[in-house]
Amino acid sequence: MKTTGLQSVVSTFREIKSRAESQWQELCNSGKPVVMVGAATCGRAAGALGVIRAIKDEVKKHKLDCPVVEVGCMGHCYAEPIVIISKPGYPPICYGHVNKVIAERLIREFILGDDPCLEFVLGALEANELVPSLSDFPRARFEKKIILKNCGHIDPEQIEHYLANGGYTALVKALQMPPEVIINEVGRSGLRGRGGAGFPTGQKWEICRNAPGRPKYVICNGDEGDPGAFMDRAILESDPHSVIEGMIIAGYAIGARYGYIYVRAEYPLAVHRVRIALRQARKLNLLGKNILGSDFSFDIRLFQGSGAFVCGEETALIASLEGEPGIPHHRPPYPATDGLYGKPTLINNVKTLAYIRHIIDNGAEWFASTGTEESKGTAVFALAGKIVNTGLVEVPMGTTLRQVIFDVGSGMQNGKRFKAVQIGGPSGGCLPESALDLPIDFDSLTDAGAMMGSGGMIVLDEDDCMVEIARYFLEFTQRESCGQCTFCRLGTKQMLEVLDEITKGQGRIEDIDMLSRLAEDIKAGSLCGLGKTAPNPVLSTLRHFRDEYEAHIKEGRCPALMCRDLIAYYIIPEKCERSCDACVGSCTTEAISANKKRIKVIDQEKCVKCGTCLSACPPQYNAVVRLSPPSEVPASK
Amino acid sequence: MKTVSLTIDGKKIRAREGEKVLWAALDNGIYIPNLCALHDALEPFAACRLCFVEVEGKKQPVTACTEAVEQGMVVNTRGPGALRLARTAFELLVASLPVDCAHCPSSGSCELQKIAAHLSIKLKTKRFRKLLRELPIDYSSPLFIYDPNKCVLCGRCVWICRERLGIGTLGFAHRGFDRLVTTFGSEPISESKCLDCGECVVACPTGALAFKDRQGIKSGLGKGG
């Protein structure tokens, strides 16, 4: 790029940045208290919008000069709605599980008065004498935030916040570098695609740069569809500019003029915030024609996916962008050489693109210093299931599953026993306790029969039946199969039928062999990644929990007492309290009656196994139990 | 035209550069099972997953319809890995079809019969559950019957009708196990924009599309009137 152009880039950017910084200073250091409310989807689901309204009303009522800012997700989703109050003289304090009443009290007693309401504190954001800080949490020892750093601390709808926190400096730096050097830097960093397959990002960029054909395109894959995964959503909602900046740098590096952000329409807030971010970036000429006065032009359009899981597969995604049915094509040719409209197309996951600015800013060596030999950097996981601290975490690659689940996630809910962790969504697998000390990286997870996938991590406890879990995920992929190729359309359907039968106690022992043989064939024979990985939940549960399959088939018994057809509810007469009728009243089918001694008995013929009696029975009696197989129920006298 | 030489099942052949292995084999009298392949289509559909072959130097069997020939390539169409995948795919297909050759108008010309013979497996599979869809049969066209239950979703009829003839009466609808070939809005064929050319019937490898009058084929109706 010409030197004169570069000078103008640097000076234009300096101006933009200093304006943003003064705005940020005005917010943070003007002596006013500031209230930030986590208002990503996780916060909103927990009631953040009501909290914001209550805070604003209270601020107005007391005529306070106190800005109320909506921020994204900090990762502590279990404690939403989260409110952060920065008041001069105090460290910024983060409050969890805030409701309208608590919110009003915080304004009255902390902002108006001087009582920081320590009873609602989650932690302070920096070390101090007054309250324990979040960095004192055991999880802080393991977390290393790179792409989640800004999330929950800036207003995603204000580009100035991003700019004041180091935003777009990487873009300016990149514009002064030859594209080959950028690609080399990304390559040397060891960054691998975070969409699941873990393909080296630098290599993909290089292939795309060298591919003949123009124009070239950059696509951000935000079609996150795995059950229990919400990392991409959180990043798009909390820090959309980091993804946009990554895309612009990618566009500059491969020589593209246009980019698309493909977000699923089921993420309306992400769509909304990305749209605002694009508009703001365009306004400051960080996007569009002659970016910052340079001779590089790049613009991004937002495209909303219409809800097909398979559109997360890159060839199906491209078909969908072209207006065709979202159906995968055979690879090769790969999109890098033959993608959107037949042109070279770079397609990267949201998280992959979010790392780019940090690699350009801090260098390849800095990034490569975190992680394992083959998997560099950090991994972002969405913790879900029977874990205490559900939410988002970012840990260095090579952290063990045990550290993520028990130290970062604070272990199992309700003191239950850990049974398995499902990683990688419908394409991933279930890993048992023996795999907990496995360092997490792309290759170790694949070897163990799971997969990094996009980063969903669902923790299962002793009450979860592994056959049922496998059946659930297979039902999902079966439903989401495009139906084009034989293996995925009919093979997964066959597997699902067999699993259905097993969970109903109608399985045959030879079904296990049939399942694993068919699963191997589907993996080897399917057209696209969806089919090739669809059998993984079944294969991994067969590998690690074969005894549960056998118990279902041979004994008609569900060891986790989950499969409805294989259990019966029973009231233990010795534990049943004569004067209590809670279960009788709760039963929806009038299956429970009292005998002559006023001990309650379930009529198994009438029972529909809904389980309400189990919840109704007061904990001091705990008389209702589930038994499997149903023949375990003693004959009534 | 540049050609390359390769070996398929021990037979040395020459093929046009860039040609797919499937067509190179078929042109030289070597049969590889296939249903969805169309030589004129721009891109292979690669949907039926029957044409698996083993190529020396590749760990996994590949589909012959997507694999381009290369100089010195050694292809084995009857390797155990390839046959295993082809057989599983074929058994999956027939497990979802009402196999009733005795009463099917396409018996004799049906490609499923040919493939079953080639792979030496029966049309009645014992390995898998029978999964039938029980969809209504469309008798409305004066020329042919469309029985979606016998359809293997190869897409030949859709391609012929849409891409070659530019009519677009038939298309795919729904997803997963429910995917089927149908008209726009699933209206009866007689009420669609079908021109009764019968090209789709000629293209159909199974009995899903069959002439009402078997003479129809001979009287030339089937060749577009």
Side-chain angles (χ1 to χ4, degrees):
Chain A
M1 206 169 284
K2 282 175 260 108
T3 349
T4 46
L6 283 178
Q7 276 165 355
S8 100
V9 168
V10 174
S11 61
T12 319
F13 182 70
R14 199 178 296 134
E15 238 170 74
I16 295 174
K17 194 174 159 73
S18 75
R19 242 181 296 145
E21 271 169 352
S22 61
Q23 261 192 47
W24 178 254
Q25 287 304 327
E26 165 81 23
L27 179 73
C28 298
N29 292 328
S30 62
K32 282 186 280 192
V34 178
V35 181
M36 290 182 169
V37 186
T41 296
C42 46
R44 290 182 178 210
L49 291 182
V51 169
I52 293 172
R53 225 172 302 128
I55 291 176
K56 284 189 173 159
D57 288 349
E58 200 66 15
V59 166
K60 210 163 148 194
K61 201 163 100 190
H62 299 290
K63 300 196 175 61
L64 294 167
D65 182 15
C66 164
V68 181
V69 182
E70 283 187 35
V71 295
C73 168
M74 277 177 71
H76 295 264
C77 303
Y78 61 94
E80 294 283 0
I82 285 178
V83 171
I84 303 170
I85 298 182
S86 317
K87 185 178 174 178
Y90 291 90
I93 303 177
C94 175
Y95 299 89
H97 305 286
V98 178
N99 56 29
K100 289 182 196 171
V101 179
I102 299 176
E104 284 165 11
R105 274 190 60 188
L106 288 174
I107 300 300
R108 263 199 321 272
E109 292 173 20
F110 185 25
I111 299 202
L112 200 60
D114 245 339
D115 170 14
C117 298
L118 294 180
E119 59 270 41
F120 307 124
V121 166
L122 194 65
L125 295 187
E126 49 198 55
N128 64 90
E129 303 281 292
L130 181 68
V131 277
S133 78
L134 288 178
S135 55
D136 297 333
F137 278 37
R139 62 187 283 169
R141 274 201 301 142
F142 299 97
E143 279 185 302
K144 182 183 169 100
K145 290 195 173 185
I146 297 176
I147 56 173
L148 295 185
K149 197 158 182 253
N150 273 341
C151 296
H153 299 291
I154 60 168
D155 183 345
E157 299 186 15
Q158 302 225 28
I159 193 170
E160 290 78 13
H161 288 201
Y162 179 71
L163 280 162
N165 284 281
Y168 289 108
T169 49
L171 172 64
V172 173
K173 194 171 167 191
L175 288 176
Q176 300 171 60
M177 292 158 79
E180 295 80 12
V181 177
I182 298 177
I183 294 178
N184 186 23
E185 196 73 11
V186 173
R188 278 193 306 122
S189 75
L191 177 65
R192 292 171 68 175
R194 295 301 199 257
F199 190 80
T201 306
Q203 207 177 320
K204 202 189 242 187
W205 286 27
E206 195 168 346
I207 296 170
C208 202
R209 172 162 182 86
N210 296 333
R214 263 174 197 282
K216 292 178 184 175
Y217 297 99
V218 179
I219 298 176
C220 166
N221 184 348
D223 192 59
E224 178 180 57
D226 291 1
F230 47 88
M231 306 75 53
D232 297 354
R233 186 191 71 201
I235 292 171
L236 289 173
E237 284 176 358
S238 311
D239 197 12
H241 286 287
S242 65
V243 180
I244 293 170
E245 185 176 357
M247 280 183 81
I248 306 172
I249 295 172
Y252 174 70
I254 66 156
R257 170 79 178 77
Y258 299 103
Y260 287 92
I261 301 185
Y262 190 105
V263 189
R264 48 195 309 221
E266 294 92 329
Y267 285 174
L269 186 63
V271 168
H272 175 72
R273 288 188 172 160
V274 168
R275 193 169 279 152
I276 290 177
L278 288 176
R279 203 183 304 143
Q280 293 176 341
R282 225 172 269 137
K283 206 169 164 193
L284 294 181
N285 195 214
L286 291 159
L287 205 57
K289 218 166 173 219
N290 297 96
I291 290 177
L292 295 172
S294 70
D295 50 15
F296 172 61
S297 301
F298 187 77
D299 209 347
I300 299 177
R301 288 181 74 165
L302 178 76
F303 187 93
Q304 294 185 53
S306 315
F309 175 70
V310 73
C311 285
E313 200 279 339
E314 55 185 18
T315 59
L317 185 148
I318 288 172
S320 152
L321 255 177
E322 290 171 348
E324 299 283 324
I327 282 176
H329 295 277
H330 179 82
R331 296 187 310 180
Y334 288 91
T337 53
D338 190 351
L340 187 64
Y341 308 117
K343 303 294 179 191
T345 303
L346 176 74
I347 174 158
N348 274 142
N349 174 265
V350 169
K351 295 182 287 298
T352 316
L353 289 165
Y355 279 110
I356 298 301
R357 61 173 279 227
H358 300 285
I359 293 173
I360 299 298
D361 261 339
N362 304 308
E365 286 72 24
W366 166 84
F367 185 79
S369 67
T370 308
T372 63
E373 194 53 43
E374 297 296 323
S375 307
K376 300 295 183 195
T378 54
V380 179
F381 287 104
L383 296 183
K386 311 278 181 66
I387 190 166
V388 175
N389 293 348
T390 52
L392 278 188
V393 299
E394 184 172 2
V395 291
M397 291 275 186
T399 309
T400 66
L401 283 168
R402 191 185 299 278
Q403 287 163 341
V404 171
I405 295 166
F406 288 92
D407 294 318
V408 180
S410 297
M412 307 299 296
Q413 280 177 9
N414 305 323
K416 294 273 186 177
R417 253 197 58 201
F418 171 90
K419 188 189 230 171
V421 54
Q422 211 284 343
I423 306 177
S427 309
C430 295
L431 297 180
E433 199 168 357
S434 61
L436 276 181
D437 292 311
L438 204 68
I440 301 169
D441 66 30
F442 286 103
D443 309 300
S444 68
L445 288 181
T446 311
D447 291 345
M451 176 184 178
M452 183 75 108
S454 58
M457 201 183 263
I458 302 173
V459 179
L460 307 168
D461 70 10
E462 53 196 291
D463 293 338
D464 291 307
C465 167
M466 300 314 290
V467 186
E468 172 57 27
I469 295 293
R471 196 201 65 78
Y472 168 81
F473 278 104
L474 207 67
E475 190 180 20
F476 178 86
T477 28
Q478 213 291 312
R479 204 174 50 229
E480 292 295 342
S481 160
C482 79
Q484 182 180 214
C485 92
T486 306
F487 279 107
C488 184
R489 179 179 77 243
L490 300 171
T492 56
K493 179 77 177 171
Q494 287 284 352
M495 289 178 75
L496 180 62
E497 288 291 309
V498 173
L499 287 174
D500 254 337
E501 285 174 20
I502 295 177
T503 54
K504 287 182 178 143
Q506 299 156 355
R508 298 176 302 219
I509 197 70
E510 59 270 25
D511 285 340
I512 295 186
D513 272 346
M514 188 277 239
L515 269 181
S516 51
R517 276 184 64 94
L518 177 57
E520 292 297 346
D521 288 352
I522 294 173
K523 274 184 87 149
S526 288
L527 172 62
C528 82
L530 186 134
K532 280 186 204 293
T533 55
N536 281 351
V538 178
L539 282 172
S540 66
T541 47
L542 270 174
R543 176 165 154 194
H544 299 296
F545 300 95
R546 196 186 175 94
D547 53 326
E548 290 201 25
Y549 281 84
E550 286 174 357
H552 281 75
I553 295 172
K554 288 186 190 161
E555 306 163 43
R557 178 172 65 90
C558 175
L561 304 171
M562 190 183 192
C563 296
R564 194 179 274 207
D565 289 294
L566 301 183
I567 58 163
Y569 284 84
Y570 174 64
I571 299 170
I572 302 170
E574 294 75 27
K575 286 190 172 181
C576 183
E577 166 58 45
R578 296 159 60 118
S579 64
C580 164
D581 265 347
C583 58
V584 180
S586 78
C587 182
T588 50
T589 57
E590 298 184 8
I592 306 178
S593 54
N595 65 13
K596 277 180 209 153
K597 293 180 197 157
R598 297 246 358 107
I599 299 300
K600 269 61 72 184
V601 181
I602 299 176
D603 181 345
Q604 297 296 338
E605 294 288 309
K606 286 187 188 166
C607 175
V608 291
K609 305 177 188 179
C610 64
T612 31
C613 53
L614 185 80
S615 344
C617 185
Q620 63 267 38
Y621 310 136
N622 240 341
V624 183
V625 290
R626 285 175 297 188
L627 298 174
S628 180
S631 57
E632 288 286 295
V633 175
S636 51
K637 285 161 214 156
Chain B
M1 192 187 301
K2 229 179 142 186
T3 60
V4 296
S5 62
L6 67 155
T7 315
I8 303 182
D9 290 353
K11 188 176 169 185
K12 279 207 176 334
I13 61 165
R14 295 198 72 79
R16 189 172 54 83
E17 197 180 21
E19 181 70 288
K20 300 291 192 267
V21 171
L22 176 67
W23 304 110
L26 293 176
D27 289 347
N28 285 281
I30 302 164
Y31 181 67
I32 299 171
N34 69 88
L35 286 171
C36 68
L38 280 168
H39 204 174
D40 298 342
L42 272 176
E43 286 175 21
F45 303 148
C48 71
R49 318 307 287 170
L50 291 173
C51 64
F52 280 101
V53 293
E54 289 176 17
V55 176
E56 228 175 73
K58 293 208 183 227
K59 273 190 239 152
Q60 291 261 353
V62 293
T63 40
C65 66
T66 54
E67 196 70 12
V69 292
E70 274 169 39
Q71 178 62 36
M73 195 180 207
V74 180
V75 180
N76 179 10
T77 72
R78 306 216 52 118
L83 281 181
R84 173 175 161 173
L85 288 180
R87 285 188 176 129
T88 303
F90 187 73
E91 280 182 75
L92 285 170
L93 279 174
V94 293
S96 69
L97 299 173
V99 178
D100 184 15
C101 300
H103 299 96
C104 180
S106 298
S107 184
S109 63
C110 175
E111 288 187 35
L112 294 176
Q113 291 172 324
K114 185 178 172 185
I115 295 168
H118 182 84
L119 296 173
S120 17
I121 41 177
K122 293 210 168 75
L123 278 164
K124 296 210 164 144
T125 165
K126 287 211 177 80
R127 186 164 145 211
F128 298 129
R129 312 288 196 266
K130 200 79 193 167
L131 301 170
L132 298 179
R133 294 189 290 171
E134 286 164 19
L135 299 162
I137 301 172
D138 188 342
Y139 294 98
S140 69
S141 160
L143 189 70
F144 60 87
I145 300 169
Y146 171 46
D147 182 352
N149 301 296
K150 291 182 182 171
C151 174
V152 290
L153 295 169
C154 68
R156 285 197 211 175
C157 55
V158 174
W159 188 85
I160 298 273
C161 186
R162 184 171 296 247
E163 305 295 333
R164 180 183 290 162
L165 302 170
I167 305 169
T169 304
L170 295 174
F172 286 108
H174 306 303
R175 34 195 313 116
F177 187 68
D178 297 326
R179 184 167 162 95
L180 81 159
V181 170
T182 184
T183 57
F184 186 76
S186 287
E187 56 193 357
I189 286 182
S190 62
E191 286 166 35
S192 72
K193 53 183 175 180
C194 176
L195 305 177
D196 291 326
C197 69
E199 286 291 328
C200 57
V201 185
V202 178
C204 181
T206 74
L209 289 160
F211 288 110
K212 281 184 170 169
D213 172 12
R214 293 209 65 192
Q215 301 300 314
I217 308 168
K218 286 179 192 154
S219 64
L221 269 171
K223 298 277 183 274

